[in-house]
Short mmCIF file of all heavy atoms in Angstrom, two decimals:
data_model
loop_
_atom_site.label_atom_id
_atom_site.label_comp_id
_atom_site.label_asym_id
_atom_site.label_seq_id
_atom_site.Cartn_x
_atom_site.Cartn_y
_atom_site.Cartn_z
N ALA A 123 3.71 1.69 -1.35
CA ALA A 123 4.23 1.86 -2.82
C ALA A 123 3.16 2.69 -3.58
O ALA A 123 3.47 3.61 -4.33
CB ALA A 123 4.59 0.57 -3.44
N ILE A 124 1.91 2.25 -3.53
CA ILE A 124 0.88 2.92 -4.27
C ILE A 124 0.73 4.37 -3.81
O ILE A 124 0.58 5.30 -4.62
CB ILE A 124 -0.43 2.21 -4.13
CG1 ILE A 124 -0.32 0.86 -4.91
CG2 ILE A 124 -1.68 3.04 -4.73
CD1 ILE A 124 -1.45 -0.08 -4.81
N GLU A 125 0.78 4.54 -2.51
CA GLU A 125 0.65 6.01 -1.99
C GLU A 125 1.72 6.83 -2.40
O GLU A 125 1.63 7.94 -2.76
CB GLU A 125 0.49 5.86 -0.48
CG GLU A 125 -0.80 5.36 0.02
CD GLU A 125 -0.79 5.22 1.52
OE1 GLU A 125 0.13 5.35 2.28
OE2 GLU A 125 -1.99 4.82 2.10
N GLY A 126 3.01 6.21 -2.40
CA GLY A 126 4.13 6.98 -2.84
C GLY A 126 4.06 7.31 -4.42
O GLY A 126 4.30 8.46 -4.74
N LEU A 127 3.49 6.50 -5.21
CA LEU A 127 3.44 6.82 -6.62
C LEU A 127 2.26 7.83 -6.79
O LEU A 127 2.38 8.61 -7.71
CB LEU A 127 3.07 5.43 -7.44
CG LEU A 127 4.28 4.53 -7.44
CD1 LEU A 127 3.87 3.16 -8.09
CD2 LEU A 127 5.49 5.16 -8.27
N ASP A 128 1.18 7.69 -5.97
CA ASP A 128 0.13 8.72 -6.10
C ASP A 128 0.76 10.11 -5.79
O ASP A 128 0.45 11.08 -6.40
CB ASP A 128 -0.95 8.30 -5.09
CG ASP A 128 -2.16 9.15 -5.29
OD1 ASP A 128 -2.41 9.70 -6.45
OD2 ASP A 128 -2.88 9.56 -4.29
N ARG A 129 1.56 10.22 -4.72
CA ARG A 129 2.22 11.47 -4.47
C ARG A 129 3.12 11.91 -5.54
O ARG A 129 3.20 13.11 -5.88
CB ARG A 129 3.06 11.34 -3.10
CG ARG A 129 2.16 11.27 -1.87
CD ARG A 129 2.96 11.40 -0.63
NE ARG A 129 3.94 10.35 -0.39
CZ ARG A 129 3.80 9.27 0.22
NH1 ARG A 129 2.53 9.02 0.82
NH2 ARG A 129 4.78 8.37 0.36
N LEU A 130 3.67 11.00 -6.30
CA LEU A 130 4.60 11.33 -7.34
C LEU A 130 3.69 12.01 -8.45
O LEU A 130 4.15 13.10 -8.96
CB LEU A 130 5.35 10.12 -7.98
CG LEU A 130 6.18 10.31 -9.10
CD1 LEU A 130 7.45 11.21 -8.86
CD2 LEU A 130 6.68 9.00 -9.61
N HIS A 131 2.51 11.43 -8.68
CA HIS A 131 1.64 11.96 -9.72
C HIS A 131 1.27 13.44 -9.30
O HIS A 131 1.28 14.34 -10.12
CB HIS A 131 0.46 11.10 -9.92
CG HIS A 131 -0.61 11.74 -10.74
ND1 HIS A 131 -0.42 11.74 -12.22
CD2 HIS A 131 -1.67 12.28 -10.49
CE1 HIS A 131 -1.38 12.43 -12.75
NE2 HIS A 131 -2.27 12.66 -11.66
N LEU A 132 0.99 13.59 -8.01
CA LEU A 132 0.52 14.90 -7.54
C LEU A 132 1.66 15.84 -7.65
O LEU A 132 1.45 17.12 -7.93
CB LEU A 132 0.14 14.80 -6.10
CG LEU A 132 -1.19 14.04 -5.92
CD1 LEU A 132 -1.44 13.94 -4.42
CD2 LEU A 132 -2.33 14.75 -6.64
N ARG A 133 2.94 15.42 -7.58
CA ARG A 133 4.04 16.36 -7.86
C ARG A 133 4.04 16.92 -9.19
O ARG A 133 4.44 18.05 -9.49
CB ARG A 133 5.29 15.66 -7.43
CG ARG A 133 5.60 15.51 -5.99
CD ARG A 133 6.80 14.80 -5.63
NE ARG A 133 6.78 14.57 -4.16
CZ ARG A 133 7.39 13.53 -3.60
NH1 ARG A 133 7.88 12.53 -4.26
NH2 ARG A 133 7.34 13.40 -2.26
N PHE A 134 3.82 16.06 -10.20
CA PHE A 134 3.66 16.40 -11.63
C PHE A 134 2.69 17.51 -11.79
O PHE A 134 2.85 18.50 -12.46
CB PHE A 134 3.52 15.26 -12.59
CG PHE A 134 4.71 14.38 -12.70
CD1 PHE A 134 4.61 13.00 -12.48
CD2 PHE A 134 5.97 14.89 -12.95
CE1 PHE A 134 5.60 12.25 -12.69
CE2 PHE A 134 7.00 14.06 -13.09
CZ PHE A 134 6.85 12.69 -12.96
N VAL A 135 1.53 17.32 -11.13
CA VAL A 135 0.42 18.30 -11.20
C VAL A 135 0.94 19.59 -10.60
O VAL A 135 0.65 20.68 -11.20
CB VAL A 135 -0.85 17.81 -10.44
CG1 VAL A 135 -1.90 18.87 -10.30
CG2 VAL A 135 -1.45 16.58 -11.17
N ARG A 136 1.58 19.58 -9.49
CA ARG A 136 2.09 20.84 -8.77
C ARG A 136 3.08 21.51 -9.74
O ARG A 136 3.06 22.68 -9.85
CB ARG A 136 2.67 20.48 -7.39
CG ARG A 136 1.67 20.13 -6.44
CD ARG A 136 2.23 19.97 -5.05
NE ARG A 136 1.34 19.27 -4.20
CZ ARG A 136 1.59 18.14 -3.60
NH1 ARG A 136 2.81 17.59 -3.84
NH2 ARG A 136 0.78 17.43 -2.87
N LEU A 137 3.96 20.71 -10.31
CA LEU A 137 5.04 21.29 -11.21
C LEU A 137 4.27 22.05 -12.37
O LEU A 137 4.82 23.08 -12.83
CB LEU A 137 5.95 20.23 -11.66
CG LEU A 137 6.97 19.75 -10.64
CD1 LEU A 137 7.74 18.52 -11.16
CD2 LEU A 137 7.86 20.90 -10.20
N ARG A 138 3.15 21.35 -12.90
CA ARG A 138 2.57 22.05 -14.07
C ARG A 138 2.00 23.49 -13.61
O ARG A 138 1.91 24.36 -14.28
CB ARG A 138 1.54 21.19 -14.65
CG ARG A 138 2.03 20.06 -15.57
CD ARG A 138 0.98 19.42 -16.33
NE ARG A 138 0.10 18.61 -15.59
CZ ARG A 138 0.30 17.47 -15.13
NH1 ARG A 138 1.41 16.87 -15.32
NH2 ARG A 138 -0.62 16.78 -14.37
N HIS A 139 1.44 23.51 -12.35
CA HIS A 139 0.87 24.63 -11.73
C HIS A 139 1.96 25.75 -11.66
O HIS A 139 1.77 26.96 -11.93
CB HIS A 139 0.25 24.53 -10.41
CG HIS A 139 -1.08 23.72 -10.56
ND1 HIS A 139 -2.16 24.23 -11.26
CD2 HIS A 139 -1.47 22.54 -10.02
CE1 HIS A 139 -3.12 23.35 -11.13
NE2 HIS A 139 -2.76 22.34 -10.43
N VAL A 140 3.18 25.36 -11.23
CA VAL A 140 4.25 26.26 -11.00
C VAL A 140 4.68 26.82 -12.37
O VAL A 140 4.94 28.00 -12.44
CB VAL A 140 5.51 25.59 -10.29
CG1 VAL A 140 6.74 26.48 -10.30
CG2 VAL A 140 5.16 25.23 -8.88
N VAL A 141 4.75 25.98 -13.44
CA VAL A 141 5.05 26.43 -14.79
C VAL A 141 4.07 27.43 -15.14
O VAL A 141 4.46 28.44 -15.84
CB VAL A 141 5.11 25.28 -15.76
CG1 VAL A 141 5.16 25.66 -17.12
CG2 VAL A 141 6.39 24.36 -15.38
N GLU A 142 2.82 27.25 -14.97
CA GLU A 142 1.74 28.20 -15.41
C GLU A 142 1.95 29.50 -14.59
O GLU A 142 1.85 30.54 -15.26
CB GLU A 142 0.41 27.70 -15.15
CG GLU A 142 -0.07 26.58 -16.10
CD GLU A 142 0.13 27.05 -17.54
OE1 GLU A 142 -0.41 28.16 -17.90
OE2 GLU A 142 0.67 26.29 -18.29
N GLN A 143 2.32 29.49 -13.34
CA GLN A 143 2.57 30.70 -12.58
C GLN A 143 3.84 31.50 -13.27
O GLN A 143 3.87 32.72 -13.28
CB GLN A 143 2.83 30.35 -11.15
CG GLN A 143 1.61 30.02 -10.42
CD GLN A 143 0.60 31.08 -10.43
OE1 GLN A 143 0.83 32.20 -10.14
NE2 GLN A 143 -0.68 30.69 -10.74
N LYS A 144 4.82 30.66 -13.63
CA LYS A 144 6.03 31.35 -14.32
C LYS A 144 5.55 31.93 -15.53
O LYS A 144 6.19 33.00 -16.04
CB LYS A 144 7.10 30.32 -14.43
CG LYS A 144 7.72 29.78 -13.20
CD LYS A 144 8.29 30.97 -12.29
CE LYS A 144 8.84 30.52 -11.02
NZ LYS A 144 9.44 31.49 -10.19
N ARG A 145 4.65 31.46 -16.27
CA ARG A 145 4.23 31.92 -17.53
C ARG A 145 3.50 33.37 -17.25
O ARG A 145 3.68 34.27 -18.12
CB ARG A 145 3.18 31.01 -18.34
CG ARG A 145 3.98 29.80 -18.91
CD ARG A 145 2.96 29.08 -19.78
NE ARG A 145 3.50 27.85 -20.16
CZ ARG A 145 4.45 27.69 -21.26
NH1 ARG A 145 4.79 28.98 -21.83
NH2 ARG A 145 4.88 26.59 -21.61
N LEU A 146 2.80 33.31 -16.21
CA LEU A 146 2.11 34.63 -15.80
C LEU A 146 3.26 35.62 -15.36
O LEU A 146 3.00 36.81 -15.70
CB LEU A 146 1.19 34.33 -14.70
CG LEU A 146 -0.08 33.57 -14.88
CD1 LEU A 146 -0.86 33.30 -13.68
CD2 LEU A 146 -0.96 34.26 -15.97
N GLU A 147 4.25 35.19 -14.76
CA GLU A 147 5.36 36.23 -14.49
C GLU A 147 5.96 36.73 -15.64
O GLU A 147 6.27 37.86 -15.85
CB GLU A 147 6.44 35.44 -13.72
CG GLU A 147 6.19 35.25 -12.21
CD GLU A 147 7.24 34.75 -11.41
OE1 GLU A 147 8.41 35.05 -11.66
OE2 GLU A 147 7.05 33.79 -10.70
N VAL A 148 6.05 35.88 -16.78
CA VAL A 148 6.64 36.35 -17.93
C VAL A 148 5.70 37.43 -18.71
O VAL A 148 6.16 38.46 -19.13
CB VAL A 148 6.84 35.18 -19.02
CG1 VAL A 148 7.20 35.75 -20.47
CG2 VAL A 148 7.95 34.27 -18.55
N GLN A 149 4.40 37.14 -18.53
CA GLN A 149 3.43 38.13 -19.11
C GLN A 149 3.62 39.47 -18.35
O GLN A 149 3.57 40.60 -18.97
CB GLN A 149 2.08 37.68 -18.96
CG GLN A 149 1.78 36.53 -19.90
CD GLN A 149 0.32 35.95 -19.87
OE1 GLN A 149 -0.48 36.36 -18.94
NE2 GLN A 149 -0.08 35.11 -20.71
N TRP A 150 3.79 39.39 -17.06
CA TRP A 150 3.93 40.61 -16.19
C TRP A 150 5.11 41.36 -16.60
O TRP A 150 5.14 42.59 -16.73
CB TRP A 150 3.98 40.25 -14.73
CG TRP A 150 4.15 41.26 -13.82
CD1 TRP A 150 3.27 42.29 -13.39
CD2 TRP A 150 5.39 41.79 -13.32
NE1 TRP A 150 3.88 43.26 -12.56
CE2 TRP A 150 5.18 42.96 -12.51
CE3 TRP A 150 6.74 41.39 -13.40
CZ2 TRP A 150 6.15 43.65 -11.88
CZ3 TRP A 150 7.78 41.95 -12.77
CH2 TRP A 150 7.49 43.19 -12.01
N LEU A 151 6.28 40.65 -16.77
CA LEU A 151 7.58 41.23 -17.24
C LEU A 151 7.40 41.95 -18.55
O LEU A 151 7.91 42.98 -18.74
CB LEU A 151 8.58 40.19 -17.36
CG LEU A 151 9.25 39.62 -15.94
CD1 LEU A 151 10.23 38.46 -16.24
CD2 LEU A 151 9.86 40.68 -15.18
N GLU A 152 6.62 41.35 -19.39
CA GLU A 152 6.53 42.02 -20.68
C GLU A 152 5.64 43.33 -20.60
O GLU A 152 6.03 44.32 -21.32
CB GLU A 152 5.69 41.01 -21.61
CG GLU A 152 6.59 39.85 -22.04
CD GLU A 152 5.97 38.79 -22.86
OE1 GLU A 152 4.65 38.80 -22.91
OE2 GLU A 152 6.68 37.87 -23.36
N GLU A 153 4.74 43.36 -19.66
CA GLU A 153 3.98 44.65 -19.35
C GLU A 153 5.03 45.71 -18.81
O GLU A 153 4.89 46.81 -19.05
CB GLU A 153 2.82 44.35 -18.43
CG GLU A 153 1.67 43.58 -19.08
CD GLU A 153 1.06 44.40 -20.28
OE1 GLU A 153 0.90 45.62 -20.15
OE2 GLU A 153 0.81 43.70 -21.27
N GLU A 154 5.82 45.21 -17.93
CA GLU A 154 6.83 46.07 -17.26
C GLU A 154 7.75 46.66 -18.33
O GLU A 154 8.16 47.79 -18.23
CB GLU A 154 7.63 45.29 -16.21
CG GLU A 154 6.72 45.14 -14.91
CD GLU A 154 6.40 46.42 -14.19
OE1 GLU A 154 7.10 47.30 -13.98
OE2 GLU A 154 5.13 46.46 -14.11
#
Side-chain angles (χ1 to χ4, degrees):
I124 292 173
E125 289 172 356
L127 291 173
D128 189 36
R129 285 191 300 267
L130 179 63
H131 174 72
L132 291 175
R133 288 180 183 145
F134 289 130
V135 171
R136 287 186 200 119
L137 286 174
R138 283 193 293 283
H139 287 300
V140 170
V141 167
E142 287 306 312
Q143 290 299 314
K144 294 299 180 184
R145 287 187 187 286
L146 292 174
E147 284 183 43
V148 169
Q149 290 176 357
W150 177 82
L151 287 172
E152 290 170 351
E153 290 297 321
E154 287 297 307

